[in-house]
Amino acid sequence: MSQELDYLSRRVAAGRLSRREFLGRATALGVSATFASSLLASAARAQGPVRGGIIKGGLYGGEATQSLDPATLAALVGNFAKVWGEYLVALAPDGGLENRIAEEVGSSGDAKVWTFKIRQDVEFHNGKTVTANDVVATLERHSNKESKSGALGILRNIESLKADGRDVVITLKDPDAELPFLMTDYHLIIQPNGGKDNPAEGISAGPYKVTVNEPGVRHGGERFANFWQPDKMGFADQVEILAINDNTARISALQSGQVHIIDKVEPKVVDLIKRAPNLKVEAVSGPGHYVFIMFCDTAPFDNNNLRMALKLAMDRQEMLDKILRGYGTVGNDFPINASYRLFPEGIEQRTFDPDKAAFHYKKSGHSGPILLRTANAGFPGAIDAAQLYQQSCAKAGITLEVKREPDDGYGEVWLKQPFCTSYWSGRATQSQMYSTAYISKAPWNETHFFNERFDKLLIEARAELNEDKRKNLYREMAIIVRDEGGTILPMFNQFIDAISDKVGGYGGGRDQLMDGYAFAKCWLMA
């Protein structure tokens, strides 16, 4: 029987038998659908990459105001950036580092001076060769005090940048043992002259050249003939990504064959997709999390008793069961979980406690409704989550008013309104996550959290070469955020994508869409 199944699976991989026909024959042989699907995946991997065709995606998070400027990348255009952008280094699927434009990375003994040696003969889409000067200019632009870059917070420690032949030399104000991991930030796309001339034209050295840029509608690229690593990425002739913000419409587009890959599948529809013989669900655990965020400097959230009341009024287990359907784990009001190295174990898990919530609410002196703004742009299932939260708050005597905002334009809510929902994919290291959204000067300090002790600990942690000591520093930082910050983090989510059986090469990573590289690394099977 095994020989027959192997034969049939190879025929599917070669395009001579449909997935539906294979599953039908496998069932007749007494094989479960799960095992049969695993055989197909193995056969696809064994076949190897196939060149040609147009691989299409339907992604969430498209807005008309979005730009290809790497400094402001977010949501859909952030995923599209992995199609055309190239980086110094990238995060490998196992959590380690993969050299990209930098072929070697080294540091001084105190981790204060870092050197990145740039590969020779890597070409930009405009035909120019990538040089150390381009890398320096890129980092200069993103680390400029006036920069609006989402990477500004993680680059504030740079003292000086220098190009020395093929070497990029970065000297830091304070030592940072994890600096190379910071260079994986998705904003830090290497561009000609650092993007100082026209950062939004989408020119870098990635596997595809940008051919279509219609924000909020669609984006596209064609294979870059001179890509430096053609055996690893860029198998399809073209990539097309459609902005499909409606969850039902995305699933319909996948079922009808309009697209091959979709993201942000809601857990409540996973079983529906699994029943389709030509579709597959891919769920990945990692550092991604859903949050309810409060401005710590804006009334009434500038009162820590009120913030604590709202944290204690969150029924995390109910959220996990009803919103994520088990596709995740409960959160503890700080943005780090066991997927990170040096995770601080043993911090008491916060649980739903309406009595304690009522105590802190009364102590805050606040009365009247509290407005929470949300949309499914906040995170998949955010509307339902807000309604559950409204009910659990009521058990503590807290009146929560939920206002549903339009998905298109949620950028006018996040970072601008004092209480709303949001989500994070996480970052490569704890230091990077905290530097991006929690240190006082972080450009995306979404909770307006300003804590001198926390800032000092973060700087100490970066410089600490002893991992046990660094772990203890991270632990104290986590407790400060948990007990004093403006983040309510009920759950860490698995990332759930869905793909057509026509897609080969899917797998790996700890973030959605293979860490954003699905369209660059996957292919359409013959």
Side-chain angles (χ1 to χ4, degrees), residues 185-200:
D185 187 282
Y186 66 91
H187 300 92
L188 299 180
I189 292 174
I190 307 304
Q191 295 185 286
N193 194 30
K196 293 180 179 180
D197 303 317
N198 184 4

Side-chain angles (χ1 to χ4, degrees), residues 68 70 73 80-88 100-101 122-131 134-135 138 142 186-195 198-210 222 224-228 517:
L68 295 186
L73 290 176
F80 180 55
K82 296 292 181 75
V83 167
W84 61 268
E86 188 57 283
Y87 299 80
L88 268 179
R100 301 299 302 159
I101 285 177
V122 176
E123 188 176 310
F124 284 122
H125 300 146
N126 62 5
K128 295 182 179 179
T129 300
V130 178
T131 68
D134 295 307
V135 175
T138 295
H142 288 274
Y186 66 91
H187 300 92
L188 299 180
I189 292 174
I190 307 304
Q191 295 185 286
N193 194 30
N198 184 4
E201 64 181 335
I203 292 180
S204 184
Y208 291 89
K209 296 174 64 173
V210 175
E222 64 181 14
F224 178 38
N226 295 333
F227 178 56
W228 69 276
Y517 282 105

Side-chain angles (χ1 to χ4, degrees), residues 5-6 34 85 117 150 177 253 277 290 343 370 380 398 422 429 441 506:
L5 285 172
D6 287 341
T34 300
K117 184 173 289 295
Y290 298 162
F343 171 68
I370 296 172
I398 302 171
S422 181
T429 68
K441 294 182 179 181
Y506 203 99

Side-chain angles (χ1 to χ4, degrees), residues 30 102 104 173 189 194 205 210 252 259 324 358 498:
E104 295 178 16
K173 300 171 187 174
I189 292 174
V210 175
S252 296
V259 300
L324 293 184

Side-chain angles (χ1 to χ4, degrees), residues 68-80:
L68 295 186
D69 180 358
T72 60
L73 290 176
L76 186 151
V77 288
N79 285 307
F80 180 55

Side-chain angles (χ1 to χ4, degrees), residues 208-501:
Y208 291 89
K209 296 174 64 173
V210 175
T211 55
V212 179
N213 179 33
E214 300 175 14
V217 181
R218 68 188 181 115
H219 302 273
E222 64 181 14
R223 185 193 298 132
F224 178 38
N226 295 333
F227 178 56
W228 69 276
Q229 203 178 34
D231 59 325
K232 300 294 185 182
M233 301 186 208
F235 303 114
D237 291 334
Q238 297 178 48
V239 168
E240 182 179 53
I241 297 177
L242 304 179
I244 308 178
N245 292 335
D246 182 79
N247 296 329
T248 302
R250 272 200 316 285
I251 294 171
S252 296
L254 181 66
Q255 291 174 324
S256 68
Q258 181 185 4
V259 300
H260 304 109
I261 301 172
I262 64 172
D263 68 344
K264 288 187 170 50
V265 175
E266 292 186 295
K268 64 184 180 182
V269 299
V270 165
D271 289 341
L272 172 67
I273 295 175
K274 283 183 175 180
R275 288 198 291 270
N278 62 327
L279 304 180
K280 183 180 178 182
V281 171
E282 297 279 354
V284 178
S285 296
H289 51 275
Y290 298 162
V291 288
F292 295 71
I293 50 177
M294 305 171 281
F295 285 179
C296 295
D297 61 351
T298 302
F301 310 105
D302 54 352
N303 184 312
N304 196 39
N305 275 299
L306 181 69
R307 297 200 297 272
M308 184 59 68
L310 289 169
K311 292 173 182 178
L312 290 165
M314 173 67 70
D315 192 334
R316 298 155 202 274
Q317 189 61 51
E318 183 181 44
M319 288 279 181
L320 177 63
D321 294 341
K322 295 183 178 179
I323 302 302
L324 293 184
R325 306 291 179 100
Y327 285 92
T329 57
V330 294
N332 203 16
D333 297 336
F334 64 96
I336 307 301
N337 66 358
S339 70
Y340 285 92
R341 292 176 61 254
L342 309 182
F343 171 68
E345 304 99 340
I347 297 176
E348 182 182 359
Q349 175 62 54
R350 180 163 287 144
T351 58
F352 177 48
D353 193 329
D355 292 334
K356 282 187 179 180
F359 168 80
H360 283 283
Y361 183 65
K362 182 177 180 181
K363 195 173 180 181
S364 75
H366 180 77
S367 61
I370 296 172
L371 179 62
L372 170 68
R373 299 173 188 270
T374 189
N376 280 326
F379 57 79
I383 300 298
D384 293 337
Q387 292 170 348
L388 286 177
Y389 188 32
Q390 185 180 50
Q391 295 166 17
S392 64
C393 280
K395 295 176 182 177
I398 302 171
T399 301
L400 190 68
E401 181 181 334
V402 176
K403 181 178 181 181
R404 180 169 184 171
E405 300 283 356
D407 286 342
D408 186 8
Y410 197 65
E412 295 302 311
V413 176
W414 184 61
L415 295 181
K416 297 179 181 179
Q417 296 297 335
F419 194 24
C420 69
T421 55
S422 181
Y423 71 93
W424 285 86
S425 298
R427 291 296 186 268
T429 68
Q430 295 188 53
S431 171
Q432 186 180 9
M433 186 67 234
Y434 286 132
S435 297
T436 302
Y438 290 86
I439 197 169
S440 295
K441 294 182 179 181
W444 286 354
N445 184 351
E446 62 183 358
T447 58
H448 294 197
F449 178 63
F450 308 110
N451 187 294
E452 291 184 10
R453 174 62 181 165
F454 176 87
D455 293 353
K456 182 175 181 292
L457 288 168
L458 179 54
I459 293 171
E460 287 183 26
R462 290 173 181 163
E464 182 54 68
L465 301 181
N466 182 294
E467 290 197 344
D468 289 335
K469 292 181 179 179
R470 196 187 319 155
K471 183 175 181 178
N472 287 333
L473 293 170
Y474 283 148
R475 177 184 177 84
E476 185 176 348
M477 291 161 58
I479 292 172
I480 290 173
V481 171
R482 174 186 183 271
D483 294 343
E484 300 177 37
T487 297
I488 305 171
L489 198 161
M491 50 195 165
F492 286 88
N493 61 292
Q494 289 186 349
F495 295 103
I496 308 176
D497 304 327
I499 66 173
S500 162
D501 64 351

Side-chain angles (χ1 to χ4, degrees), residues 12-145:
V12 175
R16 296 184 178 91
L17 187 71
S18 73
R19 180 185 175 95
R20 184 187 297 273
E21 290 171 326
F22 171 80
L23 291 175
R25 295 192 190 184
T27 300
L29 290 170
V31 175
S32 71
T34 300
F35 181 69
S37 295
S38 70
L39 284 176
L40 285 181
S42 298
R45 287 191 292 269
Q47 181 194 25
V50 177
R51 296 191 179 276
I54 304 175
I55 192 165
K56 301 179 180 181
L59 303 188
Y60 184 85
E63 296 184 15
T65 56
Q66 289 172 333
S67 166
L68 295 186
D69 180 358
T72 60
L73 290 176
L76 186 151
V77 288
N79 285 307
F80 180 55
K82 296 292 181 75
V83 167
W84 61 268
E86 188 57 283
Y87 299 80
L88 268 179
V89 290
L91 197 64
D94 63 0
L97 278 179
E98 175 185 318
N99 290 339
R100 301 299 302 159
I101 285 177
E103 65 178 6
E104 295 178 16
V105 180
S107 77
S108 59
D110 62 357
K112 194 171 182 180
V113 179
W114 287 85
T115 302
F116 296 79
K117 184 173 289 295
I118 305 307
R119 295 183 189 276
Q120 293 179 304
D121 302 323
V122 176
E123 188 176 310
F124 284 122
H125 300 146
N126 62 5
K128 295 182 179 179
T129 300
V130 178
T131 68
N133 287 319
D134 295 307
V135 175
V136 167
T138 295
L139 296 177
E140 283 177 344
R141 187 171 81 88
H142 288 274
S143 61
N144 188 290
K145 291 181 181 180

